[in-house]
Amino acid sequence: MKQETIKRIRRFSDERDWDQFHSPANIAKSIVIESAELLECFQWNEDEYDLQHVKEELADVIVFTQNMLDKLDLDPDEIVNMKMEQNEKKYPVEKAKGNAAKYDQL
Amino acid sequence: MKQETIKRIRRFSDERDWDQFHSPANIAKSIVIESAELLECFQWNEDEYDLQHVKEELADVIVFTQNMLDKLDLDPDEIVNMKMEQNEKKYPVEKAKGNAAKYDQL
Amino acid sequence: MKQETIKRIRRFSDERDWDQFHSPANIAKSIVIESAELLECFQWNEDEYDLQHVKEELADVIVFTQNMLDKLDLDPDEIVNMKMEQNEKKYPVEKAKGNAAKYDQL
Amino acid sequence: MKQETIKRIRRFSDERDWDQFHSPANIAKSIVIESAELLECFQWNEDEYDLQHVKEELADVIVFTQNMLDKLDLDPDEIVNMKMEQNEKKYPVEKAKGNAAKYDQL
């Protein structure tokens, strides 16, 4: 995301004095709640969905994810690269190719 | 996130031929599953948490969110700005300041 | 469930002195966490699933649901009948028959 | 729950011809969605909550749990007792007493 968009997310909370509600635990709950709303777009039918609704709920997930990064002062590139390194080891290409099994069942 | 990190996420799936599993519905399920694992870091205690574990689970949420953006060919800045505009209207500063109530109860 | 099974659930927490952790909010988190583990059984494939795993995760959901009923001193028959009455009104047979649309789109 | 309440849950789906939507995967999604709505009652404040709202969302979790039991033809007493036996072994009283740590960290 652009710095400008990230700043808009921060300004939104700042102007409303919402930092007091944004404990890491509360943000974690919020990410689950929003991602369940995203899932609701696919509750009864996986193939036909309301794209506008998907966009709105996915955006909410991204906003709260940014709130969590800010709250814990984390760098997304750093944590994602750290995790991708783990994932690349857990799912070696030769075993995982074309296979959706969990790493402990590969 | 940097383009380099985004490319690493894409390469990871590409090399494993996982696009076949990445329907929007399956990715939506995955975001919920990972965000529930993030919530698990705060299940019994909201104040003491394992920061390394939080980083790993948050990274997983970010990775699947990126998968969804890619799958639906969405621009994060576009959808987040669209949603922030809605949020700014739903939660006017003068009503929402210091108040965690849902917009329909402001 | 039989009273005997319900008592076993209660005894399990009592013997471990876990009531102190069972705030309604913590139990709510736990129900989400367990239900996301249930969903994980269907993450990449909706038709083939490990039935034993499904049983275990569903049982966990039931156990925490019972913990919530106990904590708030609620009667499941009372709250379910109250909710079914709402549902029956929100989804009139003539409109909802064979239709998975949400009540506000019927 | 009383047989009468269980029958009301079944009749509700039957009359609406909804069995076609009730695949195990769709019900699993529904349990997550409803339990996230339950969690929403505690999103920003864990101590003050709307009890009526909690009852309604908890009832929805129970209804979809019953749908899953019916769909897979499972007996709640059987699966809960099977799982409680596992839990009792994973969390021995002498180690778990007064301790909310996960079994692999006891």
Side-chain angles (χ1 to χ4, degrees), chain C residues 2 5 8 16 18 32 35 56 60 77 81 83 86 88 91 96 98-99, chain D residues 2 5 8 16 18 35 56 60 77 81 83 86 88 91 96 98-99:
Chain C
K2 289 177 187 153
T5 309
R8 187 175 186 172
R16 282 155 190 78
W18 279 0
V32 175
S35 59
E56 292 173 5
D60 280 332
D77 290 289
N81 276 298
K83 193 55 170 55
Q86 295 180 8
E88 287 160 6
Y91 295 94
N99 188 343
Chain D
K2 289 178 187 151
T5 310
R8 186 173 187 174
R16 282 155 191 78
W18 280 359
S35 58
E56 292 172 7
D60 280 332
D77 291 289
N81 277 298
K83 193 52 169 57
Q86 296 181 7
E88 287 159 5
Y91 295 94
N99 188 342

PDB file of all heavy atoms in Angstrom, chain C residues 2 5 8 16 18 32 35 56 60 77 81 83 86 88 91 96 98-99, chain D residues 2 5 8 16 18 35 56 60 77 81 83 86 88 91 96 98-99:
ATOM      1  N   LYS C   2     -26.750 -35.517  27.224  1.00  0.00           N
ATOM      2  CA  LYS C   2     -27.163 -36.082  28.517  1.00  0.00           C
ATOM      3  C   LYS C   2     -26.552 -35.293  29.675  1.00  0.00           C
ATOM      4  O   LYS C   2     -25.432 -34.785  29.561  1.00  0.00           O
ATOM      5  CB  LYS C   2     -26.697 -37.535  28.611  1.00  0.00           C
ATOM      6  CG  LYS C   2     -27.462 -38.477  27.695  1.00  0.00           C
ATOM      7  CD  LYS C   2     -26.880 -39.885  27.796  1.00  0.00           C
ATOM      8  CE  LYS C   2     -27.536 -40.794  26.754  1.00  0.00           C
ATOM      9  NZ  LYS C   2     -26.657 -41.890  26.349  1.00  0.00           N
ATOM     10  N   THR C   5     -22.992 -36.147  30.426  1.00  0.00           N
ATOM     11  CA  THR C   5     -21.949 -35.546  29.583  1.00  0.00           C
ATOM     12  C   THR C   5     -21.707 -34.096  29.996  1.00  0.00           C
ATOM     13  O   THR C   5     -20.564 -33.637  30.079  1.00  0.00           O
ATOM     14  CB  THR C   5     -22.388 -35.604  28.095  1.00  0.00           C
ATOM     15  OG1 THR C   5     -22.790 -36.941  27.781  1.00  0.00           O
ATOM     16  CG2 THR C   5     -21.249 -35.208  27.178  1.00  0.00           C
ATOM     17  N   ARG C   8     -19.633 -33.980  32.988  1.00  0.00           N
ATOM     18  CA  ARG C   8     -18.221 -34.280  32.719  1.00  0.00           C
ATOM     19  C   ARG C   8     -17.485 -33.020  32.230  1.00  0.00           C
ATOM     20  O   ARG C   8     -16.348 -32.776  32.608  1.00  0.00           O
ATOM     21  CB  ARG C   8     -18.131 -35.382  31.653  1.00  0.00           C
ATOM     22  CG  ARG C   8     -16.711 -35.862  31.434  1.00  0.00           C
ATOM     23  CD  ARG C   8     -16.667 -37.037  30.467  1.00  0.00           C
ATOM     24  NE  ARG C   8     -15.330 -37.603  30.359  1.00  0.00           N
ATOM     25  CZ  ARG C   8     -15.053 -38.724  29.703  1.00  0.00           C
ATOM     26  NH1 ARG C   8     -16.019 -39.415  29.120  1.00  0.00           N
ATOM     27  NH2 ARG C   8     -13.810 -39.183  29.640  1.00  0.00           N
ATOM     28  N   ARG C  16      -9.618 -28.499  37.241  1.00  0.00           N
ATOM     29  CA  ARG C  16      -8.415 -27.755  36.821  1.00  0.00           C
ATOM     30  C   ARG C  16      -8.435 -26.294  37.276  1.00  0.00           C
ATOM     31  O   ARG C  16      -7.538 -25.542  36.969  1.00  0.00           O
ATOM     32  CB  ARG C  16      -8.279 -27.859  35.283  1.00  0.00           C
ATOM     33  CG  ARG C  16      -7.717 -29.219  34.883  1.00  0.00           C
ATOM     34  CD  ARG C  16      -8.076 -29.645  33.496  1.00  0.00           C
ATOM     35  NE  ARG C  16      -7.698 -31.047  33.286  1.00  0.00           N
ATOM     36  CZ  ARG C  16      -8.429 -32.083  33.757  1.00  0.00           C
ATOM     37  NH1 ARG C  16      -9.550 -31.876  34.451  1.00  0.00           N
ATOM     38  NH2 ARG C  16      -8.006 -33.325  33.536  1.00  0.00           N
ATOM     39  N   TRP C  18     -10.257 -23.847  36.299  1.00  0.00           N
ATOM     40  CA  TRP C  18     -10.191 -23.022  35.090  1.00  0.00           C
ATOM     41  C   TRP C  18     -11.306 -21.982  34.992  1.00  0.00           C
ATOM     42  O   TRP C  18     -11.335 -21.211  34.028  1.00  0.00           O
ATOM     43  CB  TRP C  18     -10.210 -23.923  33.834  1.00  0.00           C
ATOM     44  CG  TRP C  18      -8.881 -24.523  33.500  1.00  0.00           C
ATOM     45  CD1 TRP C  18      -7.697 -24.362  34.169  1.00  0.00           C
ATOM     46  CD2 TRP C  18      -8.582 -25.381  32.392  1.00  0.00           C
ATOM     47  NE1 TRP C  18      -6.690 -25.075  33.560  1.00  0.00           N
ATOM     48  CE2 TRP C  18      -7.212 -25.717  32.459  1.00  0.00           C
ATOM     49  CE3 TRP C  18      -9.340 -25.911  31.350  1.00  0.00           C
ATOM     50  CZ2 TRP C  18      -6.581 -26.544  31.522  1.00  0.00           C
ATOM     51  CZ3 TRP C  18      -8.723 -26.741  30.410  1.00  0.00           C
ATOM     52  CH2 TRP C  18      -7.354 -27.046  30.497  1.00  0.00           C
ATOM     53  N   VAL C  32     -14.769 -19.298  18.554  1.00  0.00           N
ATOM     54  CA  VAL C  32     -14.296 -18.933  17.211  1.00  0.00           C
ATOM     55  C   VAL C  32     -13.061 -19.746  16.831  1.00  0.00           C
ATOM     56  O   VAL C  32     -12.961 -20.266  15.713  1.00  0.00           O
ATOM     57  CB  VAL C  32     -13.918 -17.431  17.131  1.00  0.00           C
ATOM     58  CG1 VAL C  32     -13.314 -17.120  15.771  1.00  0.00           C
ATOM     59  CG2 VAL C  32     -15.115 -16.545  17.366  1.00  0.00           C
ATOM     60  N   SER C  35     -14.025 -23.276  16.068  1.00  0.00           N
ATOM     61  CA  SER C  35     -14.812 -23.430  14.841  1.00  0.00           C
ATOM     62  C   SER C  35     -13.951 -23.161  13.607  1.00  0.00           C
ATOM     63  O   SER C  35     -14.206 -23.728  12.539  1.00  0.00           O
ATOM     64  CB  SER C  35     -16.083 -22.580  14.870  1.00  0.00           C
ATOM     65  OG  SER C  35     -15.791 -21.237  15.019  1.00  0.00           O
ATOM     66  N   GLU C  56     -13.721 -34.368  16.292  1.00  0.00           N
ATOM     67  CA  GLU C  56     -12.958 -33.787  17.406  1.00  0.00           C
ATOM     68  C   GLU C  56     -13.156 -32.273  17.490  1.00  0.00           C
ATOM     69  O   GLU C  56     -13.351 -31.729  18.572  1.00  0.00           O
ATOM     70  CB  GLU C  56     -11.468 -34.110  17.244  1.00  0.00           C
ATOM     71  CG  GLU C  56     -11.170 -35.584  17.420  1.00  0.00           C
ATOM     72  CD  GLU C  56      -9.725 -35.953  17.099  1.00  0.00           C
ATOM     73  OE1 GLU C  56      -8.916 -35.043  16.834  1.00  0.00           O
ATOM     74  OE2 GLU C  56      -9.410 -37.155  17.092  1.00  0.00           O
ATOM     75  N   ASP C  60     -15.153 -29.930  20.320  1.00  0.00           N
ATOM     76  CA  ASP C  60     -14.577 -28.764  21.011  1.00  0.00           C
ATOM     77  C   ASP C  60     -15.522 -27.568  20.969  1.00  0.00           C
ATOM     78  O   ASP C  60     -15.657 -26.835  21.954  1.00  0.00           O
ATOM     79  CB  ASP C  60     -13.231 -28.377  20.376  1.00  0.00           C
ATOM     80  CG  ASP C  60     -12.085 -29.255  20.855  1.00  0.00           C
ATOM     81  OD1 ASP C  60     -12.155 -29.777  21.980  1.00  0.00           O
ATOM     82  OD2 ASP C  60     -11.109 -29.408  20.100  1.00  0.00           O
ATOM     83  N   ASP C  77     -32.579 -24.549  25.538  1.00  0.00           N
ATOM     84  CA  ASP C  77     -33.914 -24.628  24.930  1.00  0.00           C
ATOM     85  C   ASP C  77     -34.554 -23.250  24.867  1.00  0.00           C
ATOM     86  O   ASP C  77     -35.196 -22.890  23.870  1.00  0.00           O
ATOM     87  CB  ASP C  77     -34.803 -25.591  25.725  1.00  0.00           C
ATOM     88  CG  ASP C  77     -34.329 -27.019  25.543  1.00  0.00           C
ATOM     89  OD1 ASP C  77     -34.513 -27.552  24.436  1.00  0.00           O
ATOM     90  OD2 ASP C  77     -33.717 -27.576  26.467  1.00  0.00           O
ATOM     91  N   ASN C  81     -35.186 -21.533  21.227  1.00  0.00           N
ATOM     92  CA  ASN C  81     -36.579 -21.299  20.833  1.00  0.00           C
ATOM     93  C   ASN C  81     -36.835 -19.807  20.584  1.00  0.00           C
ATOM     94  O   ASN C  81     -37.540 -19.458  19.632  1.00  0.00           O
ATOM     95  CB  ASN C  81     -37.543 -21.861  21.885  1.00  0.00           C
ATOM     96  CG  ASN C  81     -37.774 -23.352  21.664  1.00  0.00           C
ATOM     97  OD1 ASN C  81     -38.291 -23.762  20.627  1.00  0.00           O
ATOM     98  ND2 ASN C  81     -37.332 -24.171  22.606  1.00  0.00           N
ATOM     99  N   LYS C  83     -34.651 -17.705  19.477  1.00  0.00           N
ATOM    100  CA  LYS C  83     -34.024 -17.365  18.200  1.00  0.00           C
ATOM    101  C   LYS C  83     -34.772 -17.993  17.030  1.00  0.00           C
ATOM    102  O   LYS C  83     -34.899 -17.371  15.961  1.00  0.00           O
ATOM    103  CB  LYS C  83     -32.553 -17.807  18.203  1.00  0.00           C
ATOM    104  CG  LYS C  83     -31.731 -17.226  17.060  1.00  0.00           C
ATOM    105  CD  LYS C  83     -31.813 -15.705  17.034  1.00  0.00           C
ATOM    106  CE  LYS C  83     -30.838 -15.052  16.092  1.00  0.00           C
ATOM    107  NZ  LYS C  83     -30.886 -15.493  14.709  1.00  0.00           N
ATOM    108  N   GLN C  86     -37.560 -15.843  15.954  1.00  0.00           N
ATOM    109  CA  GLN C  86     -37.081 -14.742  15.103  1.00  0.00           C
ATOM    110  C   GLN C  86     -36.795 -15.240  13.685  1.00  0.00           C
ATOM    111  O   GLN C  86     -37.186 -14.611  12.699  1.00  0.00           O
ATOM    112  CB  GLN C  86     -35.788 -14.143  15.665  1.00  0.00           C
ATOM    113  CG  GLN C  86     -35.913 -13.459  17.014  1.00  0.00           C
ATOM    114  CD  GLN C  86     -34.564 -12.886  17.492  1.00  0.00           C
ATOM    115  OE1 GLN C  86     -33.594 -12.876  16.747  1.00  0.00           O
ATOM    116  NE2 GLN C  86     -34.525 -12.430  18.727  1.00  0.00           N
ATOM    117  N   GLU C  88     -37.926 -17.838  12.088  1.00  0.00           N
ATOM    118  CA  GLU C  88     -39.133 -18.226  11.358  1.00  0.00           C
ATOM    119  C   GLU C  88     -39.843 -17.006  10.757  1.00  0.00           C
ATOM    120  O   GLU C  88     -40.434 -17.097   9.682  1.00  0.00           O
ATOM    121  CB  GLU C  88     -40.069 -19.021  12.292  1.00  0.00           C
ATOM    122  CG  GLU C  88     -39.547 -20.443  12.568  1.00  0.00           C
ATOM    123  CD  GLU C  88     -40.124 -21.082  13.814  1.00  0.00           C
ATOM    124  OE1 GLU C  88     -41.035 -20.485  14.428  1.00  0.00           O
ATOM    125  OE2 GLU C  88     -39.662 -22.185  14.187  1.00  0.00           O
ATOM    126  N   TYR C  91     -37.462 -15.498   7.864  1.00  0.00           N
ATOM    127  CA  TYR C  91     -37.400 -16.343   6.666  1.00  0.00           C
ATOM    128  C   TYR C  91     -38.737 -17.056   6.450  1.00  0.00           C
ATOM    129  O   TYR C  91     -38.845 -18.260   6.684  1.00  0.00           O
ATOM    130  CB  TYR C  91     -36.269 -17.366   6.806  1.00  0.00           C
ATOM    131  CG  TYR C  91     -34.904 -16.740   6.871  1.00  0.00           C
ATOM    132  CD1 TYR C  91     -34.291 -16.446   8.080  1.00  0.00           C
ATOM    133  CD2 TYR C  91     -34.215 -16.429   5.698  1.00  0.00           C
ATOM    134  CE1 TYR C  91     -33.033 -15.848   8.125  1.00  0.00           C
ATOM    135  CE2 TYR C  91     -32.956 -15.837   5.734  1.00  0.00           C
ATOM    136  CZ  TYR C  91     -32.374 -15.555   6.957  1.00  0.00           C
ATOM    137  OH  TYR C  91     -31.133 -14.969   7.005  1.00  0.00           O
ATOM    138  N   ALA C  96     -38.556 -18.093   1.419  1.00  0.00           N
ATOM    139  CA  ALA C  96     -37.219 -18.651   1.633  1.00  0.00           C
ATOM    140  C   ALA C  96     -37.054 -20.047   1.046  1.00  0.00           C
ATOM    141  O   ALA C  96     -35.940 -20.563   0.954  1.00  0.00           O
ATOM    142  CB  ALA C  96     -36.917 -18.693   3.133  1.00  0.00           C
ATOM    143  N   GLY C  98     -36.117 -23.028  -0.797  1.00  0.00           N
ATOM    144  CA  GLY C  98     -35.147 -23.309  -1.852  1.00  0.00           C
ATOM    145  C   GLY C  98     -34.230 -22.154  -2.175  1.00  0.00           C
ATOM    146  O   GLY C  98     -33.543 -22.145  -3.195  1.00  0.00           O
ATOM    147  N   ASN C  99     -34.195 -21.168  -1.277  1.00  0.00           N
ATOM    148  CA  ASN C  99     -33.465 -19.930  -1.526  1.00  0.00           C
ATOM    149  C   ASN C  99     -32.518 -19.627  -0.369  1.00  0.00           C
ATOM    150  O   ASN C  99     -32.951 -19.480   0.763  1.00  0.00           O
ATOM    151  CB  ASN C  99     -34.515 -18.808  -1.667  1.00  0.00           C
ATOM    152  CG  ASN C  99     -33.903 -17.508  -2.118  1.00  0.00           C
ATOM    153  OD1 ASN C  99     -32.686 -17.317  -2.033  1.00  0.00           O
ATOM    154  ND2 ASN C  99     -34.746 -16.607  -2.580  1.00  0.00           N
TER     155      ASN C  99
ATOM    156  N   LYS D   2     -33.782 -30.332  24.462  1.00  0.00           N
ATOM    157  CA  LYS D   2     -34.936 -31.236  24.379  1.00  0.00           C
ATOM    158  C   LYS D   2     -35.169 -31.677  22.933  1.00  0.00           C
ATOM    159  O   LYS D   2     -34.937 -30.908  21.994  1.00  0.00           O
ATOM    160  CB  LYS D   2     -36.181 -30.530  24.893  1.00  0.00           C
ATOM    161  CG  LYS D   2     -36.177 -30.307  26.397  1.00  0.00           C
ATOM    162  CD  LYS D   2     -37.435 -29.545  26.803  1.00  0.00           C
ATOM    163  CE  LYS D   2     -37.353 -29.166  28.267  1.00  0.00           C
ATOM    164  NZ  LYS D   2     -38.077 -27.944  28.573  1.00  0.00           N
ATOM    165  N   THR D   5     -36.999 -29.192  20.810  1.00  0.00           N
ATOM    166  CA  THR D   5     -36.222 -28.068  20.263  1.00  0.00           C
ATOM    167  C   THR D   5     -35.424 -28.533  19.048  1.00  0.00           C
ATOM    168  O   THR D   5     -35.355 -27.842  18.027  1.00  0.00           O
ATOM    169  CB  THR D   5     -35.267 -27.507  21.351  1.00  0.00           C
ATOM    170  OG1 THR D   5     -36.009 -27.278  22.544  1.00  0.00           O
ATOM    171  CG2 THR D   5     -34.612 -26.224  20.890  1.00  0.00           C
ATOM    172  N   ARG D   8     -37.615 -28.750  16.141  1.00  0.00           N
ATOM    173  CA  ARG D   8     -37.950 -27.436  15.593  1.00  0.00           C
ATOM    174  C   ARG D   8     -36.832 -26.944  14.646  1.00  0.00           C
ATOM    175  O   ARG D   8     -37.102 -26.366  13.593  1.00  0.00           O
ATOM    176  CB  ARG D   8     -38.138 -26.425  16.734  1.00  0.00           C
ATOM    177  CG  ARG D   8     -38.628 -25.070  16.252  1.00  0.00           C
ATOM    178  CD  ARG D   8     -38.959 -24.162  17.429  1.00  0.00           C
ATOM    179  NE  ARG D   8     -39.576 -22.919  16.987  1.00  0.00           N
ATOM    180  CZ  ARG D   8     -40.076 -22.004  17.807  1.00  0.00           C
ATOM    181  NH1 ARG D   8     -40.061 -22.198  19.114  1.00  0.00           N
ATOM    182  NH2 ARG D   8     -40.616 -20.895  17.323  1.00  0.00           N
ATOM    183  N   ARG D  16     -38.077 -25.197   4.508  1.00  0.00           N
ATOM    184  CA  ARG D  16     -37.489 -24.242   3.554  1.00  0.00           C
ATOM    185  C   ARG D  16     -36.670 -24.938   2.462  1.00  0.00           C
ATOM    186  O   ARG D  16     -36.050 -24.281   1.637  1.00  0.00           O
ATOM    187  CB  ARG D  16     -36.641 -23.222   4.325  1.00  0.00           C
ATOM    188  CG  ARG D  16     -37.513 -22.171   4.991  1.00  0.00           C
ATOM    189  CD  ARG D  16     -36.892 -21.524   6.189  1.00  0.00           C
ATOM    190  NE  ARG D  16     -37.907 -20.718   6.900  1.00  0.00           N
ATOM    191  CZ  ARG D  16     -38.836 -21.244   7.714  1.00  0.00           C
ATOM    192  NH1 ARG D  16     -38.896 -22.547   7.914  1.00  0.00           N
ATOM    193  NH2 ARG D  16     -39.737 -20.451   8.292  1.00  0.00           N
ATOM    194  N   TRP D  18     -33.827 -26.432   2.653  1.00  0.00           N
ATOM    195  CA  TRP D  18     -32.472 -25.902   2.752  1.00  0.00           C
ATOM    196  C   TRP D  18     -31.396 -26.980   2.879  1.00  0.00           C
ATOM    197  O   TRP D  18     -30.210 -26.662   2.922  1.00  0.00           O
ATOM    198  CB  TRP D  18     -32.346 -24.939   3.948  1.00  0.00           C
ATOM    199  CG  TRP D  18     -32.868 -23.564   3.661  1.00  0.00           C
ATOM    200  CD1 TRP D  18     -33.404 -23.099   2.494  1.00  0.00           C
ATOM    201  CD2 TRP D  18     -32.882 -22.448   4.565  1.00  0.00           C
ATOM    202  NE1 TRP D  18     -33.759 -21.771   2.615  1.00  0.00           N
ATOM    203  CE2 TRP D  18     -33.454 -21.345   3.874  1.00  0.00           C
ATOM    204  CE3 TRP D  18     -32.489 -22.262   5.885  1.00  0.00           C
ATOM    205  CZ2 TRP D  18     -33.631 -20.092   4.471  1.00  0.00           C
ATOM    206  CZ3 TRP D  18     -32.654 -21.007   6.469  1.00  0.00           C
ATOM    207  CH2 TRP D  18     -33.224 -19.941   5.768  1.00  0.00           C
ATOM    208  N   SER D  35     -20.105 -17.600  15.172  1.00  0.00           N
ATOM    209  CA  SER D  35     -19.303 -17.443  16.389  1.00  0.00           C
ATOM    210  C   SER D  35     -18.506 -16.141  16.334  1.00  0.00           C
ATOM    211  O   SER D  35     -18.226 -15.542  17.372  1.00  0.00           O
ATOM    212  CB  SER D  35     -18.418 -18.656  16.649  1.00  0.00           C
ATOM    213  OG  SER D  35     -17.563 -18.897  15.586  1.00  0.00           O
ATOM    214  N   GLU D  56     -28.722 -14.364  21.366  1.00  0.00           N
ATOM    215  CA  GLU D  56     -29.123 -14.604  19.973  1.00  0.00           C
ATOM    216  C   GLU D  56     -27.986 -15.226  19.159  1.00  0.00           C
ATOM    217  O   GLU D  56     -28.195 -16.171  18.392  1.00  0.00           O
ATOM    218  CB  GLU D  56     -29.565 -13.283  19.309  1.00  0.00           C
ATOM    219  CG  GLU D  56     -30.862 -12.743  19.893  1.00  0.00           C
ATOM    220  CD  GLU D  56     -31.226 -11.348  19.389  1.00  0.00           C
ATOM    221  OE1 GLU D  56     -30.533 -10.849  18.476  1.00  0.00           O
ATOM    222  OE2 GLU D  56     -32.189 -10.768  19.905  1.00  0.00           O
ATOM    223  N   ASP D  60     -27.563 -19.068  17.561  1.00  0.00           N
ATOM    224  CA  ASP D  60     -27.233 -19.362  16.165  1.00  0.00           C
ATOM    225  C   ASP D  60     -26.103 -20.391  16.072  1.00  0.00           C
ATOM    226  O   ASP D  60     -26.129 -21.278  15.212  1.00  0.00           O
ATOM    227  CB  ASP D  60     -26.811 -18.081  15.425  1.00  0.00           C
ATOM    228  CG  ASP D  60     -28.003 -17.244  14.988  1.00  0.00           C
ATOM    229  OD1 ASP D  60     -29.079 -17.817  14.757  1.00  0.00           O
ATOM    230  OD2 ASP D  60     -27.845 -16.012  14.856  1.00  0.00           O
ATOM    231  N   ASP D  77     -23.275 -36.853  22.509  1.00  0.00           N
ATOM    232  CA  ASP D  77     -22.691 -37.496  23.695  1.00  0.00           C
ATOM    233  C   ASP D  77     -21.483 -38.340  23.316  1.00  0.00           C
ATOM    234  O   ASP D  77     -20.478 -38.347  24.022  1.00  0.00           O
ATOM    235  CB  ASP D  77     -23.742 -38.367  24.402  1.00  0.00           C
ATOM    236  CG  ASP D  77     -24.810 -37.498  25.045  1.00  0.00           C
ATOM    237  OD1 ASP D  77     -24.495 -36.841  26.042  1.00  0.00           O
ATOM    238  OD2 ASP D  77     -25.929 -37.437  24.515  1.00  0.00           O
ATOM    239  N   ASN D  81     -17.803 -37.160  24.592  1.00  0.00           N
ATOM    240  CA  ASN D  81     -17.092 -38.056  25.518  1.00  0.00           C
ATOM    241  C   ASN D  81     -15.770 -38.534  24.934  1.00  0.00           C
ATOM    242  O   ASN D  81     -14.767 -38.625  25.653  1.00  0.00           O
ATOM    243  CB  ASN D  81     -17.991 -39.244  25.903  1.00  0.00           C
ATOM    244  CG  ASN D  81     -18.931 -38.879  27.039  1.00  0.00           C
ATOM    245  OD1 ASN D  81     -18.478 -38.552  28.140  1.00  0.00           O
ATOM    246  ND2 ASN D  81     -20.225 -38.875  26.772  1.00  0.00           N
ATOM    247  N   LYS D  83     -13.903 -36.822  22.909  1.00  0.00           N
ATOM    248  CA  LYS D  83     -12.966 -35.694  22.997  1.00  0.00           C
ATOM    249  C   LYS D  83     -12.563 -35.393  24.438  1.00  0.00           C
ATOM    250  O   LYS D  83     -11.411 -35.054  24.718  1.00  0.00           O
ATOM    251  CB  LYS D  83     -13.594 -34.450  22.345  1.00  0.00           C
ATOM    252  CG  LYS D  83     -12.614 -33.313  22.083  1.00  0.00           C
ATOM    253  CD  LYS D  83     -11.392 -33.793  21.305  1.00  0.00           C
ATOM    254  CE  LYS D  83     -10.510 -32.689  20.783  1.00  0.00           C
ATOM    255  NZ  LYS D  83      -9.999 -31.779  21.763  1.00  0.00           N
ATOM    256  N   GLN D  86      -9.745 -37.470  25.456  1.00  0.00           N
ATOM    257  CA  GLN D  86      -8.472 -36.916  24.963  1.00  0.00           C
ATOM    258  C   GLN D  86      -8.016 -35.727  25.823  1.00  0.00           C
ATOM    259  O   GLN D  86      -6.857 -35.640  26.230  1.00  0.00           O
ATOM    260  CB  GLN D  86      -8.612 -36.430  23.519  1.00  0.00           C
ATOM    261  CG  GLN D  86      -8.908 -37.509  22.499  1.00  0.00           C
ATOM    262  CD  GLN D  86      -9.020 -36.937  21.070  1.00  0.00           C
ATOM    263  OE1 GLN D  86      -8.747 -35.759  20.837  1.00  0.00           O
ATOM    264  NE2 GLN D  86      -9.417 -37.768  20.130  1.00  0.00           N
ATOM    265  N   GLU D  88      -8.785 -34.921  28.880  1.00  0.00           N
ATOM    266  CA  GLU D  88      -8.391 -35.295  30.244  1.00  0.00           C
ATOM    267  C   GLU D  88      -6.957 -35.829  30.277  1.00  0.00           C
ATOM    268  O   GLU D  88      -6.239 -35.622  31.252  1.00  0.00           O
ATOM    269  CB  GLU D  88      -9.382 -36.326  30.809  1.00  0.00           C
ATOM    270  CG  GLU D  88     -10.731 -35.696  31.163  1.00  0.00           C
ATOM    271  CD  GLU D  88     -11.889 -36.686  31.243  1.00  0.00           C
ATOM    272  OE1 GLU D  88     -11.637 -37.921  31.117  1.00  0.00           O
ATOM    273  OE2 GLU D  88     -13.035 -36.244  31.401  1.00  0.00           O
ATOM    274  N   TYR D  91      -4.475 -32.759  29.425  1.00  0.00           N
ATOM    275  CA  TYR D  91      -4.384 -31.766  30.503  1.00  0.00           C
ATOM    276  C   TYR D  91      -4.529 -32.453  31.862  1.00  0.00           C
ATOM    277  O   TYR D  91      -5.573 -32.325  32.513  1.00  0.00           O
ATOM    278  CB  TYR D  91      -5.475 -30.704  30.326  1.00  0.00           C
ATOM    279  CG  TYR D  91      -5.301 -29.866  29.077  1.00  0.00           C
ATOM    280  CD1 TYR D  91      -5.946 -30.204  27.887  1.00  0.00           C
ATOM    281  CD2 TYR D  91      -4.464 -28.754  29.082  1.00  0.00           C
ATOM    282  CE1 TYR D  91      -5.765 -29.438  26.731  1.00  0.00           C
ATOM    283  CE2 TYR D  91      -4.288 -27.985  27.932  1.00  0.00           C
ATOM    284  CZ  TYR D  91      -4.945 -28.337  26.767  1.00  0.00           C
ATOM    285  OH  TYR D  91      -4.764 -27.593  25.637  1.00  0.00           O
ATOM    286  N   ALA D  96      -2.217 -29.061  34.972  1.00  0.00           N
ATOM    287  CA  ALA D  96      -3.043 -28.005  34.364  1.00  0.00           C
ATOM    288  C   ALA D  96      -3.769 -27.152  35.395  1.00  0.00           C
ATOM    289  O   ALA D  96      -4.327 -26.110  35.050  1.00  0.00           O
ATOM    290  CB  ALA D  96      -4.057 -28.638  33.406  1.00  0.00           C
ATOM    291  N   GLY D  98      -5.082 -24.509  37.519  1.00  0.00           N
ATOM    292  CA  GLY D  98      -4.821 -23.074  37.644  1.00  0.00           C
ATOM    293  C   GLY D  98      -3.926 -22.513  36.550  1.00  0.00           C
ATOM    294  O   GLY D  98      -3.428 -21.401  36.639  1.00  0.00           O
ATOM    295  N   ASN D  99      -3.759 -23.280  35.474  1.00  0.00           N
ATOM    296  CA  ASN D  99      -2.799 -22.935  34.429  1.00  0.00           C
ATOM    297  C   ASN D  99      -3.480 -22.973  33.055  1.00  0.00           C
ATOM    298  O   ASN D  99      -3.985 -24.021  32.644  1.00  0.00           O
ATOM    299  CB  ASN D  99      -1.661 -23.971  34.491  1.00  0.00           C
ATOM    300  CG  ASN D  99      -0.509 -23.601  33.585  1.00  0.00           C
ATOM    301  OD1 ASN D  99      -0.660 -22.784  32.686  1.00  0.00           O
ATOM    302  ND2 ASN D  99       0.640 -24.223  33.825  1.00  0.00           N
TER     303      ASN D  99
END
